[in-house]
Coordinates of all heavy atoms in Angstrom, one line a residue:
M556 N -2.9 -13.5 -8.0 CA -3.8 -12.5 -8.6 C -3.1 -11.3 -9.0 O -2.3 -10.7 -8.2 CB -4.9 -12.2 -7.5 CG -5.8 -11.1 -7.9 SD -6.9 -10.9 -6.4 CE -7.9 -9.6 -6.9
I557 N -3.3 -10.8 -10.2 CA -2.6 -9.6 -10.7 C -3.3 -8.4 -10.2 O -4.5 -8.2 -10.4 CB -2.5 -9.7 -12.2 CG1 -1.6 -10.8 -12.6 CG2 -1.9 -8.3 -12.7 CD1 -1.4 -11.0 -14.1
I558 N -2.6 -7.5 -9.5 CA -3.2 -6.3 -9.0 C -2.9 -5.1 -10.0 O -3.8 -4.4 -10.4 CB -2.6 -5.9 -7.6 CG1 -2.9 -7.0 -6.6 CG2 -3.0 -4.5 -7.2 CD1 -4.3 -7.1 -6.2
C559 N -1.7 -5.1 -10.5 CA -1.3 -4.0 -11.5 C -1.0 -4.7 -12.8 O -0.1 -5.4 -13.0 CB 0.0 -3.3 -11.0 SG 0.6 -2.1 -12.2
H560 N -1.9 -4.4 -13.8 CA -1.8 -5.0 -15.1 C -0.7 -4.3 -15.9 O -0.1 -4.9 -16.8 CB -3.2 -5.0 -15.8 CG -4.1 -5.9 -15.1 ND1 -4.2 -7.3 -15.4 CD2 -5.1 -5.7 -14.2 CE1 -5.1 -7.8 -14.7 NE2 -5.7 -6.9 -13.9
C561 N -0.5 -3.0 -15.7 CA 0.5 -2.3 -16.4 C 1.9 -2.9 -16.2 O 2.7 -3.0 -17.1 CB 0.5 -0.8 -16.1 SG -1.1 0.0 -16.4
N562 N 2.2 -3.2 -14.9 CA 3.5 -3.7 -14.6 C 3.5 -5.2 -14.3 O 4.6 -5.7 -13.9 CB 4.0 -3.0 -13.3 CG 4.4 -1.5 -13.6 OD1 5.2 -1.2 -14.4 ND2 3.7 -0.6 -12.9
V563 N 2.4 -5.8 -14.4 CA 2.2 -7.2 -14.2 C 2.7 -7.6 -12.8 O 3.6 -8.4 -12.6 CB 2.8 -8.1 -15.2 CG1 2.4 -9.6 -15.1 CG2 2.5 -7.7 -16.6
L564 N 2.1 -6.9 -11.8 CA 2.5 -7.2 -10.4 C 1.4 -7.9 -9.7 O 0.2 -7.5 -9.7 CB 2.7 -5.8 -9.6 CG 3.9 -5.0 -10.1 CD1 4.0 -3.7 -9.4 CD2 5.2 -5.8 -9.9
T565 N 1.8 -9.0 -9.0 CA 0.8 -9.8 -8.3 C 0.6 -9.3 -6.9 O 1.4 -8.6 -6.3 CB 1.3 -11.3 -8.2 OG1 2.5 -11.3 -7.5 CG2 1.5 -11.8 -9.6
K566 N -0.5 -9.8 -6.3 CA -0.8 -9.4 -4.9 C 0.4 -9.9 -4.0 O 0.8 -9.2 -3.1 CB -2.1 -10.0 -4.5 CG -2.5 -9.8 -3.1 CD -3.9 -10.4 -2.8 CE -4.3 -10.2 -1.4 NZ -5.6 -10.8 -1.1
D567 N 0.9 -11.1 -4.3 CA 1.9 -11.7 -3.4 C 3.2 -10.8 -3.5 O 3.8 -10.6 -2.5 CB 2.2 -13.1 -3.8 CG 1.1 -14.1 -3.5 OD1 0.3 -13.8 -2.6 OD2 1.0 -15.2 -4.1
A568 N 3.6 -10.4 -4.7 CA 4.8 -9.5 -4.8 C 4.6 -8.2 -4.1 O 5.5 -7.8 -3.4 CB 5.1 -9.3 -6.3
I569 N 3.4 -7.6 -4.2 CA 3.2 -6.4 -3.5 C 3.2 -6.6 -2.0 O 3.8 -5.8 -1.2 CB 1.8 -5.8 -4.0 CG1 2.0 -5.3 -5.4 CG2 1.4 -4.6 -3.1 CD1 0.7 -4.9 -6.1
L570 N 2.5 -7.6 -1.5 CA 2.5 -7.9 0.0 C 3.9 -8.2 0.5 O 4.3 -7.8 1.6 CB 1.6 -9.1 0.3 CG 0.1 -8.8 0.2 CD1 -0.7 -10.1 0.3 CD2 -0.3 -7.8 1.2
E571 N 4.8 -8.9 -0.3 CA 6.1 -9.1 0.1 C 6.9 -7.8 0.2 O 7.7 -7.6 1.2 CB 6.8 -10.0 -0.9 CG 8.2 -10.4 -0.5 CD 8.9 -11.4 -1.5 OE1 8.2 -12.1 -2.2 OE2 10.1 -11.4 -1.6
A572 N 6.7 -6.9 -0.7 CA 7.4 -5.6 -0.7 C 7.0 -4.8 0.5 O 7.8 -4.2 1.2 CB 7.2 -4.8 -2.0
I573 N 5.7 -4.8 0.8 CA 5.1 -4.1 2.0 C 5.7 -4.7 3.2 O 6.2 -4.0 4.1 CB 3.6 -4.2 2.0 CG1 3.0 -3.4 0.8 CG2 3.1 -3.6 3.3 CD1 1.5 -3.6 0.6
G574 N 5.8 -6.0 3.3 CA 6.4 -6.7 4.5 C 7.8 -6.3 4.7 O 8.3 -6.0 5.8
E575 N 8.6 -6.2 3.6 CA 10.0 -5.8 3.7 C 10.1 -4.4 4.2 O 11.0 -4.1 5.0 CB 10.7 -5.9 2.4 CG 10.9 -7.4 1.9 CD 11.4 -7.5 0.5 OE1 11.6 -6.4 -0.2 OE2 11.6 -8.6 0.0
L576 N 9.2 -3.5 3.7 CA 9.3 -2.1 4.1 C 8.9 -2.0 5.6 O 9.6 -1.2 6.3 CB 8.3 -1.3 3.3 CG 8.8 -1.1 1.8 CD1 7.6 -0.5 1.0 CD2 10.0 -0.2 1.7
I577 N 7.9 -2.7 6.1 CA 7.6 -2.7 7.5 C 8.7 -3.2 8.3 O 9.1 -2.7 9.4 CB 6.3 -3.5 7.8 CG1 5.1 -2.8 7.1 CG2 6.1 -3.7 9.3 CD1 3.8 -3.6 7.1
D578 N 9.4 -4.3 7.9 CA 10.5 -4.9 8.6 C 11.7 -3.9 8.7 O 12.3 -3.9 9.8 CB 11.0 -6.2 8.0 CG 10.0 -7.3 8.2 OD1 9.1 -7.2 9.0 OD2 10.1 -8.3 7.4
E579 N 11.9 -3.2 7.7 CA 13.0 -2.2 7.7 C 12.8 -1.1 8.7 O 13.7 -0.7 9.4 CB 13.2 -1.6 6.3 CG 14.0 -2.5 5.4 CD 14.2 -1.9 4.0 OE1 13.9 -0.7 3.9 OE2 14.6 -2.6 3.1
D580 N 11.5 -0.5 8.7 CA 11.2 0.6 9.5 C 9.7 0.6 9.7 O 9.0 1.1 8.8 CB 11.7 1.9 8.9 CG 11.4 3.1 9.7 OD1 10.9 3.0 10.8 OD2 11.7 4.3 9.2
R581 N 9.3 0.2 10.9 CA 7.8 0.1 11.1 C 7.2 1.5 11.2 O 5.9 1.5 11.3 CB 7.5 -0.8 12.3 CG 8.0 -0.1 13.6 CD 7.7 -1.1 14.8 NE 8.1 -0.5 16.0 CZ 8.8 -1.1 16.9 NH1 9.1 -2.4 16.7 NH2 9.2 -0.6 18.0
Y582 N 7.9 2.5 11.3 CA 7.4 3.9 11.4 C 7.3 4.6 10.1 O 6.9 5.7 10.0 CB 8.1 4.7 12.5 CG 8.0 4.1 13.9 CD1 9.0 3.5 14.5 CD2 6.8 4.1 14.5 CE1 8.9 2.9 15.7 CE2 6.6 3.6 15.8 CZ 7.7 2.9 16.4 OH 7.5 2.4 17.6
R583 N 7.9 4.0 9.1 CA 7.9 4.6 7.8 C 6.5 4.7 7.2 O 5.7 3.9 7.4 CB 8.7 3.7 6.8 CG 8.5 4.1 5.3 CD 9.2 3.1 4.5 NE 10.6 3.3 4.4 CZ 11.5 2.4 4.1 NH1 11.1 1.2 3.8 NH2 12.8 2.7 4.1
L584 N 6.2 5.9 6.6 CA 4.9 6.0 5.9 C 5.0 5.3 4.5 O 5.8 5.7 3.7 CB 4.6 7.5 5.7 CG 3.3 7.8 4.9 CD1 2.1 7.2 5.7 CD2 3.1 9.3 4.7
I585 N 4.3 4.3 4.4 CA 4.3 3.4 3.2 C 3.2 3.9 2.2 O 2.0 3.9 2.6 CB 4.2 1.9 3.5 CG1 5.3 1.5 4.5 CG2 4.2 1.1 2.2 CD1 5.1 0.1 5.0
T586 N 3.6 4.3 1.0 CA 2.7 4.7 0.0 C 2.8 3.7 -1.2 O 3.8 3.0 -1.3 CB 3.0 6.1 -0.5 OG1 4.3 6.1 -1.1 CG2 3.0 7.1 0.7
P587 N 1.9 3.8 -2.1 CA 2.0 3.0 -3.3 C 3.4 3.3 -4.0 O 4.0 2.4 -4.5 CB 0.8 3.3 -4.2 CG -0.2 3.7 -3.2 CD 0.5 4.4 -2.1
G588 N 3.8 4.5 -4.0 CA 5.0 4.9 -4.7 C 6.2 4.2 -4.0 O 7.1 3.7 -4.7
T589 N 6.3 4.1 -2.7 CA 7.4 3.4 -2.0 C 7.4 1.9 -2.3 O 8.4 1.3 -2.5 CB 7.4 3.7 -0.5 OG1 6.2 3.2 0.1 CG2 7.7 5.1 -0.2
V590 N 6.2 1.4 -2.4 CA 6.0 -0.1 -2.7 C 6.6 -0.3 -4.1 O 7.3 -1.2 -4.4 CB 4.6 -0.6 -2.6 CG1 4.4 -2.0 -3.1 CG2 4.1 -0.4 -1.1
Y591 N 6.2 0.5 -5.1 CA 6.6 0.3 -6.5 C 8.1 0.5 -6.6 O 8.7 -0.2 -7.4 CB 5.8 1.3 -7.4 CG 4.5 0.7 -7.8 CD1 3.5 0.4 -6.9 CD2 4.2 0.5 -9.2 CE1 2.3 -0.2 -7.3 CE2 3.0 -0.1 -9.6 CZ 2.1 -0.4 -8.6 OH 0.9 -1.0 -9.0
R592 N 8.6 1.5 -5.9 CA 10.1 1.7 -6.0 C 10.8 0.5 -5.4 O 11.8 0.1 -6.0 CB 10.5 3.0 -5.2 CG 10.4 4.3 -6.0 CD 11.0 5.4 -5.3 NE 10.3 5.9 -4.1 CZ 9.2 6.6 -4.1 NH1 8.7 7.0 -5.2 NH2 8.7 6.9 -2.9
R593 N 10.3 -0.1 -4.4 CA 10.9 -1.3 -3.8 C 10.9 -2.4 -4.9 O 11.9 -3.2 -4.9 CB 10.1 -1.8 -2.6 CG 10.4 -3.1 -2.1 CD 11.9 -3.3 -1.7 NE 12.2 -2.4 -0.6 CZ 12.8 -2.7 0.5 NH1 13.2 -3.9 0.7 NH2 13.1 -1.8 1.3
L594 N 9.9 -2.5 -5.7 CA 9.8 -3.5 -6.7 C 10.5 -3.1 -8.0 O 10.5 -3.9 -9.0 CB 8.3 -3.8 -7.0 CG 7.6 -4.4 -5.8 CD1 6.1 -4.4 -6.1 CD2 8.0 -5.8 -5.6
G595 N 11.1 -1.9 -8.1 CA 11.8 -1.4 -9.3 C 10.8 -1.0 -10.4 O 11.2 -1.1 -11.6
K596 N 9.6 -0.6 -10.0 CA 8.6 -0.2 -11.0 C 8.1 1.2 -10.7 O 8.5 1.8 -9.7 CB 7.4 -1.2 -10.9 CG 7.7 -2.6 -11.0 CD 8.1 -3.0 -12.4 CE 8.4 -4.5 -12.5 NZ 8.8 -4.9 -13.8
R597 N 7.3 1.7 -11.6 CA 6.7 3.0 -11.5 C 5.2 2.9 -11.8 O 4.8 2.1 -12.7 CB 7.3 4.0 -12.4 CG 8.7 4.3 -12.1 CD 9.2 5.3 -13.1 NE 8.5 6.6 -12.9 CZ 8.8 7.7 -13.5 NH1 9.9 7.8 -14.3 NH2 8.1 8.8 -13.2
G598 N 4.4 3.7 -11.1 CA 2.9 3.6 -11.5 C 2.8 4.2 -12.9 O 3.4 5.2 -13.2
K599 N 1.9 3.6 -13.7 CA 1.7 4.1 -15.0 C 0.3 4.7 -15.1 O 0.2 5.9 -15.1 CB 1.8 2.9 -16.0 CG 3.3 2.5 -16.1 CD 3.5 1.4 -17.1 CE 5.0 1.0 -17.0 NZ 5.3 -0.1 -17.9
C600 N -0.8 3.9 -15.1 CA -2.1 4.5 -15.1 C -2.6 4.8 -13.7 O -3.5 5.6 -13.5 CB -3.1 3.6 -15.8 SG -3.7 2.2 -14.8
C601 N -2.0 4.1 -12.7 CA -2.2 4.3 -11.3 C -3.7 3.9 -10.8 O -4.1 4.2 -9.8 CB -2.0 5.7 -10.8 SG -0.3 6.2 -11.1
G602 N -4.3 3.1 -11.7 CA -5.6 2.6 -11.4 C -5.6 1.6 -10.3 O -6.6 1.4 -9.6
C603 N -4.5 1.0 -10.0 CA -4.3 -0.1 -9.0 C -4.0 0.5 -7.6 O -4.0 -0.2 -6.6 CB -3.2 -1.0 -9.4 SG -1.6 -0.3 -9.7
F604 N -3.6 1.8 -7.6 CA -3.2 2.4 -6.3 C -4.2 2.3 -5.2 O -3.8 2.0 -4.1 CB -2.8 3.9 -6.5 CG -1.4 4.1 -7.0 CD1 -0.7 3.0 -7.7 CD2 -0.7 5.2 -6.9 CE1 0.6 3.2 -8.2 CE2 0.6 5.4 -7.3 CZ 1.2 4.4 -8.0
P605 N -5.5 2.4 -5.4 CA -6.4 2.2 -4.3 C -6.3 0.8 -3.7 O -6.4 0.6 -2.5 CB -7.8 2.5 -4.9 CG -7.5 3.4 -6.0 CD -6.2 3.0 -6.6
Q606 N -6.1 -0.2 -4.6 CA -6.0 -1.6 -4.1 C -4.7 -1.7 -3.3 O -4.6 -2.4 -2.3 CB -6.0 -2.6 -5.3 CG -7.4 -2.8 -5.9 CD -7.3 -3.8 -7.0 OE1 -6.6 -3.6 -8.0 NE2 -8.0 -4.9 -6.8
V607 N -3.6 -1.1 -3.8 CA -2.3 -1.1 -3.1 C -2.4 -0.5 -1.7 O -1.9 -1.0 -0.8 CB -1.2 -0.5 -4.0 CG1 0.1 -0.5 -3.2 CG2 -1.0 -1.3 -5.3
V608 N -3.1 0.6 -1.7 CA -3.4 1.3 -0.4 C -4.1 0.3 0.6 O -3.8 0.2 1.7 CB -4.1 2.6 -0.5 CG1 -4.6 3.2 0.8 CG2 -3.2 3.6 -1.2
G609 N -5.1 -0.4 0.0 CA -5.8 -1.3 0.8 C -4.9 -2.4 1.4 O -5.1 -2.8 2.5
L610 N -4.0 -2.9 0.5 CA -3.1 -3.9 1.0 C -2.1 -3.4 2.0 O -1.8 -4.1 3.0 CB -2.3 -4.5 -0.2 CG -3.1 -5.3 -1.3 CD1 -2.2 -5.6 -2.5 CD2 -3.6 -6.5 -0.6
I611 N -1.7 -2.1 1.9 CA -0.8 -1.5 2.9 C -1.6 -1.4 4.2 O -1.0 -1.8 5.3 CB -0.4 -0.1 2.4 CG1 0.5 -0.2 1.2 CG2 0.3 0.7 3.6 CD1 0.8 1.2 0.5
V612 N -2.8 -1.0 4.2 CA -3.6 -0.8 5.4 C -3.8 -2.2 6.1 O -3.5 -2.4 7.3 CB -5.0 -0.2 5.2 CG1 -5.9 -0.3 6.4 CG2 -4.8 1.3 4.7
S613 N -4.1 -3.2 5.3 CA -4.4 -4.5 5.9 C -3.0 -5.1 6.4 O -3.0 -5.8 7.5 CB -5.0 -5.5 4.9 OG -4.2 -5.7 3.8
S614 N -1.9 -4.8 5.7 CA -0.6 -5.3 6.2 C -0.2 -4.7 7.5 O 0.3 -5.3 8.4 CB 0.4 -5.1 5.2 OG 0.2 -5.9 4.0
L615 N -0.5 -3.4 7.6 CA -0.2 -2.6 8.9 C -1.0 -3.1 10.0 O -0.6 -3.3 11.1 CB -0.3 -1.1 8.7 CG 0.8 -0.5 7.8 CD1 0.4 1.0 7.6 CD2 2.1 -0.5 8.6
E616 N -2.3 -3.4 9.7 CA -3.2 -3.8 10.8 C -2.8 -5.2 11.2 O -2.8 -5.5 12.4 CB -4.6 -3.8 10.3 CG -5.2 -2.4 10.2 CD -6.6 -2.4 9.5 OE1 -7.0 -3.4 8.9 OE2 -7.3 -1.4 9.7
E617 N -2.4 -6.1 10.3 CA -2.0 -7.4 10.6 C -0.7 -7.4 11.4 O -0.5 -8.1 12.4 CB -1.7 -8.2 9.3 CG -1.3 -9.7 9.6 CD -1.1 -10.4 8.3 OE1 -1.8 -10.2 7.3 OE2 -0.1 -11.2 8.2
F618 N 0.2 -6.5 11.1 CA 1.5 -6.3 11.8 C 1.2 -5.9 13.2 O 1.8 -6.4 14.2 CB 2.4 -5.3 11.1 CG 3.6 -4.9 11.9 CD1 4.7 -5.8 11.9 CD2 3.7 -3.8 12.7 CE1 5.8 -5.5 12.6 CE2 4.8 -3.5 13.4 CZ 5.9 -4.3 13.3
Q619 N 0.3 -5.0 13.4 CA -0.1 -4.5 14.8 C -0.7 -5.6 15.6 O -0.4 -5.8 16.8 CB -1.1 -3.4 14.7 CG -0.4 -2.1 14.4 CD -1.4 -0.9 14.6 OE1 -2.5 -1.0 14.1 NE2 -0.9 0.1 15.3
T620 N -1.6 -6.4 15.1 CA -2.2 -7.5 15.8 C -1.2 -8.6 16.2 O -1.3 -9.3 17.2 CB -3.4 -8.0 15.1 OG1 -3.1 -8.5 13.9 CG2 -4.5 -7.0 15.0
S621 N -0.3 -8.9 15.2 CA 0.7 -10.0 15.5 C 1.9 -9.5 16.3 O 2.6 -10.4 16.9 CB 1.2 -10.6 14.2 OG 1.9 -9.6 13.4
N622 N 2.1 -8.2 16.5 CA 3.2 -7.7 17.3 C 2.6 -6.6 18.3 O 2.9 -5.4 18.0 CB 4.2 -7.1 16.4 CG 4.8 -8.1 15.4 OD1 5.4 -9.0 15.8 ND2 4.6 -7.8 14.1
P623 N 1.9 -7.0 19.3 CA 1.3 -6.0 20.2 C 2.3 -5.1 20.9 O 1.9 -4.0 21.2 CB 0.5 -6.9 21.2 CG 1.1 -8.2 21.1 CD 1.7 -8.4 19.7
T624 N 3.5 -5.5 21.0 CA 4.5 -4.6 21.7 C 5.1 -3.6 20.7 O 5.7 -2.6 21.1 CB 5.6 -5.4 22.3 OG1 6.3 -6.2 21.3 CG2 5.1 -6.3 23.4
A625 N 4.9 -3.9 19.4 CA 5.4 -3.0 18.4 C 4.3 -2.2 17.7 O 3.9 -2.4 16.6 CB 6.2 -3.8 17.3
R626 N 3.7 -1.3 18.5 CA 2.5 -0.6 18.1 C 2.9 0.5 17.0 O 3.8 1.3 17.2 CB 1.8 0.1 19.2 CG 1.4 -0.8 20.3 CD 0.4 -1.8 19.9 NE -0.9 -1.1 19.5 CZ -1.9 -1.8 19.0 NH1 -1.9 -3.1 18.9 NH2 -3.0 -1.2 18.7
V627 N 2.2 0.5 15.9 CA 2.4 1.5 14.9 C 1.3 2.6 15.2 O 0.2 2.3 15.6 CB 2.1 0.9 13.5 CG1 2.2 2.0 12.4 CG2 3.1 -0.2 13.2
D628 N 1.7 3.8 15.0 CA 0.8 4.9 15.3 C -0.5 4.7 14.5 O -0.4 4.6 13.3 CB 1.5 6.2 14.9 CG 0.7 7.4 15.3 OD1 -0.4 7.3 15.8 OD2 1.3 8.6 15.2
R629 N -1.6 4.7 15.2 CA -2.9 4.5 14.5 C -3.2 5.6 13.5 O -3.9 5.4 12.5 CB -4.0 4.5 15.5 CG -4.0 3.3 16.4 CD -4.1 2.0 15.7 NE -5.3 1.8 15.0 CZ -5.6 0.8 14.2 NH1 -4.7 -0.1 14.0 NH2 -6.7 0.7 13.6
S630 N -2.6 6.8 13.7 CA -2.8 7.9 12.7 C -2.2 7.5 11.3 O -2.8 8.0 10.3 CB -2.2 9.2 13.2 OG -0.8 9.1 13.3
L631 N -1.2 6.7 11.3 CA -0.6 6.3 10.0 C -1.6 5.4 9.2 O -1.8 5.6 8.0 CB 0.7 5.6 10.2 CG 1.9 6.5 10.8 CD1 3.1 5.6 10.9 CD2 2.1 7.7 9.9
V632 N -2.2 4.5 10.0 CA -3.1 3.6 9.4 C -4.4 4.4 8.9 O -4.9 4.2 7.8 CB -3.5 2.4 10.3 CG1 -4.6 1.6 9.7 CG2 -2.3 1.6 10.6
G633 N -4.8 5.3 9.8 CA -5.9 6.2 9.4 C -5.7 7.0 8.2 O -6.5 7.2 7.4
A634 N -4.4 7.6 8.1 CA -4.1 8.4 6.9 C -4.1 7.5 5.7 O -4.6 8.0 4.6 CB -2.7 9.0 7.1
A635 N -3.6 6.3 5.7 CA -3.6 5.4 4.6 C -5.0 5.1 4.2 O -5.4 5.1 3.0 CB -2.8 4.2 4.9
S636 N -5.9 4.8 5.2 CA -7.3 4.5 4.9 C -8.0 5.7 4.3 O -8.8 5.5 3.3 CB -8.0 4.1 6.2 OG -9.3 3.7 5.9
A637 N -7.7 6.9 4.8 CA -8.3 8.1 4.2 C -7.9 8.3 2.8 O -8.7 8.7 1.9 CB -8.0 9.3 5.1
S638 N -6.6 8.0 2.5 CA -6.1 8.1 1.1 C -6.9 7.1 0.2 O -7.2 7.5 -0.9 CB -4.6 7.8 1.1 OG -3.9 8.8 1.8
L639 N -7.1 6.0 0.7 CA -7.8 5.0 -0.1 C -9.2 5.5 -0.4 O -9.7 5.4 -1.6 CB -7.9 3.7 0.7 CG -8.8 2.6 0.1 CD1 -8.2 2.1 -1.3 CD2 -8.9 1.4 1.0
H640 N -9.9 6.0 0.5 CA -11.3 6.5 0.3 C -11.3 7.7 -0.6 O -12.1 7.9 -1.5 CB -12.0 6.8 1.6 CG -12.2 5.6 2.4 ND1 -13.0 4.6 2.0 CD2 -11.7 5.3 3.6 CE1 -13.0 3.6 2.9 NE2 -12.2 4.0 3.9
S641 N -10.3 8.6 -0.5 CA -10.2 9.8 -1.4 C -9.9 9.4 -2.8 O -10.5 9.9 -3.7 CB -9.0 10.7 -0.9 OG -9.3 11.2 0.4
A642 N -9.0 8.4 -3.0 CA -8.6 7.9 -4.3 C -9.8 7.3 -5.0 O -10.1 7.5 -6.2 CB -7.4 7.0 -4.2
A643 N -10.6 6.5 -4.2 CA -11.8 5.9 -4.8 C -12.8 6.9 -5.2 O -13.5 6.7 -6.2 CB -12.3 4.9 -3.7
A644 N -12.9 8.0 -4.5 CA -13.9 9.0 -4.8 C -13.4 9.9 -6.0 O -14.2 10.3 -6.8 CB -14.1 10.0 -3.6
I645 N -12.1 10.1 -6.2 CA -11.6 10.9 -7.2 C -11.6 10.2 -8.6 O -11.9 10.8 -9.6 CB -10.1 11.4 -6.9 CG1 -10.2 12.4 -5.7 CG2 -9.5 12.0 -8.1 CD1 -8.9 12.7 -5.1
R646 N -11.3 8.9 -8.6 CA -11.1 8.2 -9.8 C -12.4 8.3 -10.7 O -12.2 8.6 -11.9 CB -10.7 6.8 -9.6 CG -10.5 6.0 -10.8 CD -9.7 4.8 -10.7 NE -9.4 4.3 -12.0 CZ -9.1 3.1 -12.3 NH1 -9.0 2.3 -11.4 NH2 -8.9 2.8 -13.5
P647 N -13.6 8.1 -10.2 CA -14.7 8.2 -11.1 C -14.9 9.6 -11.7 O -15.3 9.7 -12.9 CB -15.9 7.8 -10.2 CG -15.4 7.0 -9.1 CD -14.0 7.6 -8.9
A648 N -14.5 10.6 -10.9 CA -14.6 12.0 -11.5 C -13.6 12.2 -12.6 O -13.9 12.8 -13.6 CB -14.4 12.9 -10.3
L649 N -12.4 11.6 -12.5 CA -11.4 11.7 -13.5 C -11.9 11.0 -14.8 O -11.6 11.4 -15.9 CB -10.1 11.2 -13.1 CG -9.4 12.0 -11.9 CD1 -8.1 11.3 -11.5 CD2 -9.1 13.4 -12.4
Q650 N -12.5 9.9 -14.6 CA -13.0 9.1 -15.8 C -14.1 9.8 -16.5 O -14.2 9.5 -17.7 CB -13.4 7.7 -15.3 CG -12.2 6.8 -14.9 CD -12.7 5.5 -14.3 OE1 -13.8 5.3 -13.9 NE2 -11.8 4.5 -14.3
R651 N -14.9 10.6 -15.9 CA -16.0 11.3 -16.5 C -15.4 12.4 -17.5 O -16.0 12.7 -18.5 CB -16.9 11.9 -15.5 CG -17.8 11.0 -14.8 CD -18.9 11.7 -14.1 NE -18.3 12.6 -13.0 CZ -18.3 12.3 -11.7 NH1 -18.7 11.1 -11.3 NH2 -17.8 13.1 -10.9
D652 N -14.3 13.0 -17.1 CA -13.8 14.1 -17.9 C -13.2 13.7 -19.2 O -12.8 12.8 -19.6 CB -12.7 14.9 -17.1 CG -13.3 15.6 -15.9 OD1 -14.6 15.8 -16.0 OD2 -12.6 15.8 -14.9

C-alpha cells in the first residue's frame, strides 16, 4: 500500500525504516523526518506525515510488547501520538485557507 504518493513510498518500506531506526537506538525520537532521511527522501506535501506518525507509534508499541525487558519510555510514544492528533487537527485548517 502506498503511503506517500509524492515519493512513492510503501507502508512496508516505511515500516522497515522505522524498524531499522528502533534497532539502532531504541531511545531515539523517531519522527517522519528521520524516517524519510533513512529512506533518502524528503517530505514534499507532508500530507502523509500523520499516517507515518501512526506507523511510528504502532511500531514502538509492538516493539515494547515483543521486548518487555527493553522498555521504551512511554512519554515518547505519548509525544508521537499527540503529534499525530495535532497534525490531524491542523491539516483541515490549512486546507481551508
Side-chain angles (χ1 to χ4, degrees):
M556 170 181 180
I557 294 178
I558 299 293
C559 176
H560 293 278
C561 297
N562 290 301
V563 191
L564 294 175
T565 64
K566 180 179 179 179
D567 291 338
I569 292 170
L570 287 172
E571 183 178 334
I573 293 168
E575 290 171 0
L576 291 167
I577 291 171
D578 288 343
E579 281 180 9
D580 181 1
R581 67 179 179 230
Y582 297 108
R583 166 189 281 159
L584 179 61
I585 301 172
T586 65
T589 57
V590 173
Y591 274 61
R592 277 191 292 280
R593 167 59 61 132
L594 294 168
K596 307 288 183 181
R597 294 180 65 170
K599 294 181 181 177
C600 78
C601 301
C603 57
F604 276 21
Q606 286 182 301
V607 175
V608 170
L610 292 173
I611 292 167
V612 169
S613 64
S614 294
L615 287 171
E616 288 173 344
E617 182 180 322
F618 175 78
Q619 282 190 311
T620 56
S621 63
N622 300 296
T624 58
R626 301 299 295 178
V627 176
D628 186 354
R629 295 299 298 172
S630 64
L631 297 179
V632 175
S636 181
S638 296
L639 173 64
H640 295 298
S641 296
I645 291 170
R646 184 161 185 200
L649 293 175
Q650 290 175 341
R651 285 192 298 259
D652 293 337

